[in-house]
Amino acid sequence: MSVPLHAVCLRSQRVCRRSVAAAVSQCFRHRDASVSHFSHSAGLSAQTCKALVYRTHGDPSRVVQLEGVELPSLGAKDVLVKVLAAPINPSDINMIQGTYAILPDLPAVGGNEGVAQVVEVGSQVKSLKTGDWVIPKDAGLGTWRTQAVLPEEDVISVPNDIPLVSAATLGVNPCTAFRMLSDFEDLKPGDCVIQNAANSGVGQAVIQIAAARGINTINVIRDRPEFTELSDKLKAIGASHVIKEEALRKHEIKELFKTCPKPKLALNGVGGKSATELLRHLQIGGSMVTYGGMSKQPVTVPVSALIFKDVKVRGFWVTQWKRDHSHDGRAFRAMLDELCSLIKQGKLTAPACTEVGLQQYHAALDTAMQPFISTKQVLVM
C-alpha cells in the first residue's frame, strides 16, 4: 500500500506540494500490501524504511501503525536522510485526529518535527553534504520514520554538535517563542512579558530567550501539588516570577507590579478566562498574542481593555510564518543560528523529554495524550 509522505496535499488550503494522488491510488491497487510506497519520483528502489502510518483520522493509539515503507530512488536534487529523533507534539496528535488546520491526504505518516542526518546527496545538491543534520522547513514532512528521500529544498541544516533532543525539538516551540518575542512589541532589557502555559514547550523557550535578552517574565501556571517544585524549576531556567492563575485576580499581583513593570506583551496558549486575565494586566497599548488554546475556550476581550487601554489582540502560527518567508530563507536561517547559539551557550535547553524507541510508539502516543504531562515524548529511531 502506498503513501507519498513528503508530498502533502493540504486540504484546508487546497494546495499540493506535488501531484501525487494518482500515483498513490496506483500503488494501493498494484503493490504488495505489506509495504507502503512513499514516492515523489517515478523510479522506485527496493530500499525500505519503517514508518508510523495512519490511513484514517481518529484516536492515534488505534489508527497509527508501524509499517514498512518503500523509498524512492535518489534524484539529482534529493537527499537520503536517516531520521535520528522526532517528538510527538500536540499538533501531531490533532493532525491524526483530523482537527488540525492543515491535513495531509491519507494515508500519511505522522510527525511534523525532528532531526535527521544526511546519508547521501544527489548530484545537484549544493547546500548539504553527507553527515549534516537537517530539520524540516515546513509542516507535513512526516518525521515518524527511520529514513526518507527528500528534496534538498524541504530541509535546512542545523549544527550537529548540539544535543539531539534540542535539535529534534528546535523547529516548532523555540521558533514560536523567538518570533513572538521579536515581532509584536519592541522589547528592551528591563521590559516585562506575561504568559500562561509557562511550563509548556513554548513557555519554557520564552523564559529562556527572554532571560538571554534581559527581559523579565511573569509566568502563570495552574495550581498543583508540586507547584513549588515546578516554580523552582522554571526559575532555574530564567523565570523572573512564577505565579498561580488565581493570583492574577488577587492583591499579590499588585504587589508584584511595585517591583516589576507592567507587561508590554502577553502570550496566550490557553484561552478562556486565563487569556482575559492576562489582558487585564497589560500596559496601555500592549499586545496579547494567542498561539494556542489548551482550554478549548474562546478568548473574551473586555470592551474596556480595547477602549481605555488600546490593547492589540493578535494571533501567531509558526507554520504560516515559515510559509510567508519561504521565498527568502535568510530570516529562518538567522533565527535558527541565533537559537543554536543560545543552545551552545547553555542558555536554551530542550524541555524535559522521554526518549522512546520507535517500536514503543503505542506507549509514547498514549502518554503524549495524557493531561498534565510533564515530559515530551521523543521517538528515537
Side-chain angles (χ1 to χ4, degrees):
M1 304 184 73
S2 70
V3 191
L5 172 55
H6 65 275
V8 176
C9 294
L10 305 181
R11 293 185 187 134
S12 64
Q13 299 178 11
R14 302 299 179 190
V15 175
C16 283
R17 293 170 61 193
R18 278 168 176 76
S19 299
V20 298
V24 179
S25 176
Q26 289 292 327
C27 288
F28 267 101
R29 286 197 294 268
H30 300 300
R31 297 290 179 174
D32 184 346
S34 66
V35 178
S36 297
H37 306 268
F38 293 71
S39 172
H40 70 266
S41 60
L44 293 177
S45 72
Q47 188 174 3
T48 62
C49 71
K50 294 292 186 180
L52 295 179
V53 180
Y54 59 102
R55 291 183 169 75
T56 184
H57 295 301
D59 181 350
S61 64
R62 294 179 179 272
V63 301
V64 174
Q65 299 294 328
L66 181 62
E67 300 183 8
V69 172
E70 190 169 302
L71 293 171
S73 56
L74 188 71
K77 296 183 179 181
D78 295 339
V79 292
L80 170 65
V81 301
K82 174 187 176 183
V83 180
L84 303 176
I88 300 176
N89 289 322
S91 58
D92 302 325
I93 299 296
N94 295 153
M95 194 172 282
I96 296 167
Q97 293 169 330
T99 60
Y100 199 56
I102 56 174
L103 299 174
D105 279 354
L106 300 179
V109 165
N112 293 292
E113 187 181 29
V115 62
Q117 185 175 41
V118 176
V119 175
E120 186 179 352
V121 299
S123 60
Q124 296 180 30
V125 171
K126 297 179 180 179
S127 65
L128 300 170
K129 64 183 184 301
T130 301
D132 283 350
W133 281 13
V134 294
I135 65 173
K137 284 185 177 179
D138 197 0
L141 210 59
T143 54
W144 296 351
R145 53 184 298 165
T146 55
Q147 287 184 300
V149 173
L150 303 169
E152 174 188 14
E153 63 185 12
D154 283 0
V155 294
I156 187 169
S157 64
V158 296
N160 59 11
D161 58 352
I162 61 176
L164 181 65
V165 291
S166 293
T169 59
L170 180 61
V172 177
N173 292 336
C175 290
T176 296
F178 185 98
R179 296 264 55 102
M180 293 194 300
L181 289 171
S182 304
D183 295 350
F184 295 93
E185 291 289 338
D186 183 18
L187 298 173
K188 301 285 197 306
D191 286 340
C192 184
V193 173
I194 189 170
Q195 66 167 340
N196 55 25
N199 189 41
S200 67
V202 172
Q204 291 185 48
V206 165
I207 289 170
Q208 295 175 87
I209 297 168
R213 298 180 179 182
I215 298 166
N216 298 301
T217 54
I218 300 173
N219 301 279
V220 183
I221 58 177
R222 290 170 292 186
D223 194 10
R224 63 196 72 196
E226 67 276 16
F227 174 84
T228 300
E229 178 184 346
L230 178 55
S231 175
D232 291 343
K233 171 188 167 185
L234 296 179
K235 288 179 179 178
I237 63 172
S240 309
H241 308 278
V242 181
I243 62 175
K244 301 174 185 177
E245 283 198 345
E246 308 87 81
L248 292 171
R249 298 180 289 275
K250 295 183 178 179
H251 181 71
E252 61 188 278
I253 191 71
K254 295 182 179 180
E255 292 298 313
L256 188 154
F257 287 134
K258 290 179 180 180
T259 59
C260 178
K262 284 247 182 179
K264 283 185 177 180
L265 180 66
L267 304 177
N268 168 45
V270 177
K273 293 181 179 179
S274 178
T276 304
E277 291 298 329
L278 295 186
L279 271 172
R280 290 180 58 241
H281 298 294
L282 275 177
Q283 63 176 245
I284 293 174
S287 296
M288 182 176 79
V289 181
T290 293
Y291 66 92
M294 289 191 293
S295 71
K296 299 183 180 179
Q297 297 297 315
V299 173
T300 302
V301 182
V303 172
S304 59
L306 295 173
I307 296 175
F308 302 119
K309 297 180 71 175
D310 191 26
V311 297
K312 300 179 285 291
V313 181
R314 303 287 302 277
F316 181 77
W317 185 29
V318 73
T319 296
Q320 189 62 53
W321 184 92
K322 290 176 180 177
R323 292 175 181 178
D324 290 344
H325 293 80
S326 61
H327 63 285
D328 181 358
R330 288 178 295 181
F332 192 17
R333 178 78 270 166
M335 174 173 61
L336 291 180
D337 288 347
E338 186 169 340
L339 290 171
C340 289
S341 176
L342 292 176
I343 292 170
K344 291 180 179 181
Q345 296 174 56
K347 295 180 179 180
L348 178 62
T349 59
C353 295
T354 299
E355 298 182 17
V356 183
L358 190 63
Q359 298 284 348
Q360 284 73 52
Y361 70 96
H362 272 305
L365 287 169
D366 287 342
T367 301
M369 295 177 65
Q370 297 303 313
F372 304 106
I373 185 171
S374 58
T375 63
K376 183 180 290 292
Q377 302 295 296
V378 177
L379 298 169
V380 178
M381 311 309 169

